[in-house]
Amino acid sequence: MNDLPTSAGEDRPLVDFASALRTLRCQAGAPTLAEMSKRSGICVASLSEAHNGRALPTWRTVDGYVRACGGDPVLWRSRWEGVRLAQRTSQAEDHHAALINRWTRTRQLTPPQWVKSEAELARLLDHMRRFRGLSLRDMARRSGGFSHHTFGAVLRGDRPVTADILAAILHACRVDPGAAQRWLSALGRVRPAEVLRVQTYTSSVEAHRRTRLFGEQHRAQRQGRWRNGLNPTNPKQASPSRATERARV
């Protein structure tokens, strides 16, 4: 067998799991991988990869490995689940750290594309709350519709994320309309029951965005008139009145 990884950057739980598999094999009399393959129906290559400590094997491979060595699959299942959970938690923390760095750099509170579950969405919303420096009571004061107890339950994952609550969180965190639409779309993906409400809010956000854009264009036009020496509050100044025209004649 090849040596297990020993560098500081390796996945320690994974290496320990591979080491335990090797120990189990030695206790079983060190059968060859070919013998283990015949007993388990798992190919030699998969059995070899299972104890190399570089990638977590599938449960089917671990189950075959353990049975071929006379071990108890029930005990090894919980052990395997623990390693898998540790890996997922570590990956999630890395993803969230990168997201917060992006928020800090761009000041655009947009959700990531990798949101796959409602629990993940709730956790990200709590990150956004903390990023804004808001307490749950601050959220309640800013939203004016839900209590801090409700926000706490939703962000902990004890209550579902609804379109109404999400809209209140986005409002409290002062998320701009473009980013708000992305958060609403993410909710629609992970919680299909909220799709109709999401569509309603999305339409409202889009209408607000267009109104704001129209207002900005109108202000730009007004400023342009001032620069041209015209009074934007008096449209008649732009063209001579009839009395003025008669006087000129």
Side-chain angles (χ1 to χ4, degrees), residues 62-84:
V62 174
D63 181 63
Y65 193 110
V66 170
R67 291 181 185 278
C69 294
D72 184 353
V74 175
L75 298 178
W76 282 88
R77 176 76 190 207
S78 60
R79 197 167 189 171
W80 177 79
E81 291 281 6
V83 177
R84 186 174 66 162

Side-chain angles (χ1 to χ4, degrees), residues 9-93:
E10 295 296 339
D11 185 341
R12 195 70 248 167
L14 176 60
V15 173
D16 291 342
F17 183 76
S19 178
L21 286 175
R22 293 182 179 210
T23 299
L24 176 67
R25 183 184 177 192
C26 290
Q27 292 173 346
T32 67
L33 291 176
E35 292 173 338
M36 293 173 61
S37 178
K38 290 179 181 179
R39 298 174 187 173
S40 64
I42 307 297
C43 70
V44 169
S46 295
L47 293 171
S48 178
E49 291 174 358
H51 62 216
N52 67 13
R54 290 175 175 78
L56 184 66
T58 64
W59 168 245
R60 180 175 178 274
T61 298
V62 174
D63 181 63
Y65 193 110
V66 170
R67 291 181 185 278
C69 294
D72 184 353
V74 175
L75 298 178
W76 282 88
R77 176 76 190 207
S78 60
R79 197 167 189 171
W80 177 79
E81 291 281 6
V83 177
R84 186 174 66 162
L85 178 60
Q87 286 189 337
R88 287 182 174 179
T89 301
S90 176
Q91 292 170 356
E93 291 298 334

